[in-house]
Amino acid sequence: MDSIPSVEMLYTIRVLHCMNGSSGFAKLIGIVTDDSRRYLKSYLVELPEASRNLIRMAGDTSVSWERREKWAVQLVQGIELMHAHGFVVGGLERWLTPFINDTDSVQFWTFKEIFKTGHTVGAYYPPEFLYVLAMPPGMDEVDSPYVTSKADMFQLGMLSWLLAENKPQTYASPVCGRMRCNGRRRKVEDRDNNCDLSHPEPIALPRLPESVPKYFRDLVDACRRADPDARPAAREILAMFPSSHEDSPQRQQEQDGYEQIQLRPQQDCAPDIDTLNE
């Protein structure tokens, strides 16, 4: 065996296996093993031919508010479903975000349960995990902290803010360029030469314009609260959207998916290698 599967790969396989059949999640096709069928090498997922990164779409100024709001709702629905089953997303950052599939809907495809150094722009780090920035690059996975549901909510605030802001994403940090910063990612050992304003790892994001509905501005603020215990759960955030989304076909489909996989406890979700290889 060339290498040991990463914690991130194993976690993604487990989540996709557990969420199989639920709307908004990529379909796990199978896993790839060596010839002995004893060692895991990779995995296969079914992805649409036409897919677009959510952050890239957030920076497309031609996208209407109605579509942005729909994607925001679908983001929260997917997070709510995962949290209900004891999982975290952990991949709500930069280019690891969910994508927009060929039906113009949000689809989750990759997940992680630990924060890894050197993989996240500071604006996505919840304040309770800022110490990770000071950890040496390449820190062993066993020493990295676990992502929490409250960390997911903090990163959801960042994505929601980007969706509503409606500006192209061109900077290393999505906030720096908006605040006259040099746009470089701050290095711990070079603290004085980067991000000379008070926002290297912003918590409260710049207030969205009045053209964005008040409920949406409020939910972004709620997700970005410094105290993790004060951040609302995904179900509470979903309730902040207009009631029309609660009765939408997408919402009903999510509820149907929830009922479908709720019968499969998390501890029973370990994938069976023989089944996945058939």
Side-chain angles (χ1 to χ4, degrees), residues 3 5 16 19 22 27 45 72 78 91 112 123-124 140 165 174 204 217 239:
S3 61
L16 290 176
M19 296 298 168
S22 178
K27 181 180 179 181
V45 294
K112 64 180 186 179
Y124 292 90
D140 193 291
E165 195 204 22
R217 286 179 275 144

Side-chain angles (χ1 to χ4, degrees), residues 229-266:
D229 292 333
R231 294 172 206 149
R235 187 174 294 274
E236 296 173 282
I237 289 293
L238 193 59
M240 297 177 69
F241 286 89
S243 58
S244 58
H245 289 289
E246 289 294 313
D247 302 325
S248 67
Q250 171 70 17
R251 178 60 175 160
Q252 185 58 52
Q253 190 176 22
E254 289 292 338
Q255 292 285 19
D256 292 344
Y258 177 80
E259 294 301 329
Q260 175 184 352
I261 69 172
Q262 191 175 24
L263 299 176
R264 304 176 61 192
Q266 183 181 358

Side-chain angles (χ1 to χ4, degrees), residues 40-55:
L40 177 68
K41 299 178 66 176
S42 186
Y43 63 98
L44 301 173
V45 294
E46 181 179 86
L47 300 177
E49 292 184 9
S51 61
R52 296 145 293 173
N53 180 274
L54 180 62
I55 287 185

Side-chain angles (χ1 to χ4, degrees), residues 20-36:
N20 191 34
S22 178
S23 173
F25 292 85
K27 181 180 179 181
L28 178 65
I29 301 300
I31 57 175
V32 180
T33 65
D34 69 348
D35 292 339
S36 71

Side-chain angles (χ1 to χ4, degrees), residues 14-196:
R14 186 181 182 197
V15 170
L16 290 176
H17 177 66
C18 288
M19 296 298 168
N20 191 34
S22 178
S23 173
F25 292 85
K27 181 180 179 181
L28 178 65
I29 301 300
I31 57 175
V32 180
T33 65
D34 69 348
D35 292 339
S36 71
R37 295 167 63 89
R38 295 178 57 194
Y39 298 108
L40 177 68
K41 299 178 66 176
S42 186
Y43 63 98
L44 301 173
V45 294
E46 181 179 86
L47 300 177
E49 292 184 9
S51 61
R52 296 145 293 173
N53 180 274
L54 180 62
I55 287 185
R56 288 192 183 278
M57 293 302 293
D60 184 345
T61 56
S62 67
V63 175
S64 68
W65 168 252
E66 289 73 21
R67 291 175 70 194
R68 294 171 185 275
E69 185 182 48
K70 178 187 72 172
W71 296 337
V73 170
Q74 292 171 346
L75 268 175
V76 182
Q77 289 172 343
I79 295 169
E80 176 195 10
L81 187 60
M82 289 197 63
H83 289 180
H85 289 82
F87 293 113
V88 293
V89 182
L92 298 172
E93 58 193 51
R94 297 295 288 169
W95 312 121
L96 293 179
T97 58
F99 58 78
I100 306 301
N101 64 19
D102 47 9
T103 64
D104 200 46
S105 298
V106 170
Q107 192 160 17
F108 293 81
W109 66 284
T110 186
F111 314 91
K112 64 180 186 179
E113 60 179 345
I114 60 173
F115 277 109
K116 297 173 68 175
T117 59
H119 287 73
T120 304
V121 174
Y124 292 90
Y125 275 99
E128 64 269 25
F129 288 105
L130 284 181
Y131 70 90
V132 177
L133 288 173
M135 295 170 65
M139 175 71 73
D140 193 291
E141 290 179 333
V142 299
D143 296 319
S144 299
Y146 280 88
V147 178
T148 64
S149 61
K150 296 299 185 179
D152 274 349
M153 300 311 297
F154 188 83
Q155 294 187 339
L156 171 65
M158 181 83 255
L159 281 186
S160 300
W161 183 80
L162 290 173
L163 277 172
E165 195 204 22
N166 193 17
K167 289 185 179 180
Q169 310 305 313
T170 58
Y171 294 88
S173 168
V175 176
C176 290
R178 314 293 195 268
M179 304 182 74
R180 303 184 307 281
C181 177
N182 58 24
R184 292 186 296 165
R185 180 177 176 181
R186 180 177 68 80
K187 298 178 181 178
V188 173
E189 68 273 16
D190 196 19
R191 184 183 302 269
D192 295 332
N193 293 327
N194 288 283
C195 294
D196 54 354

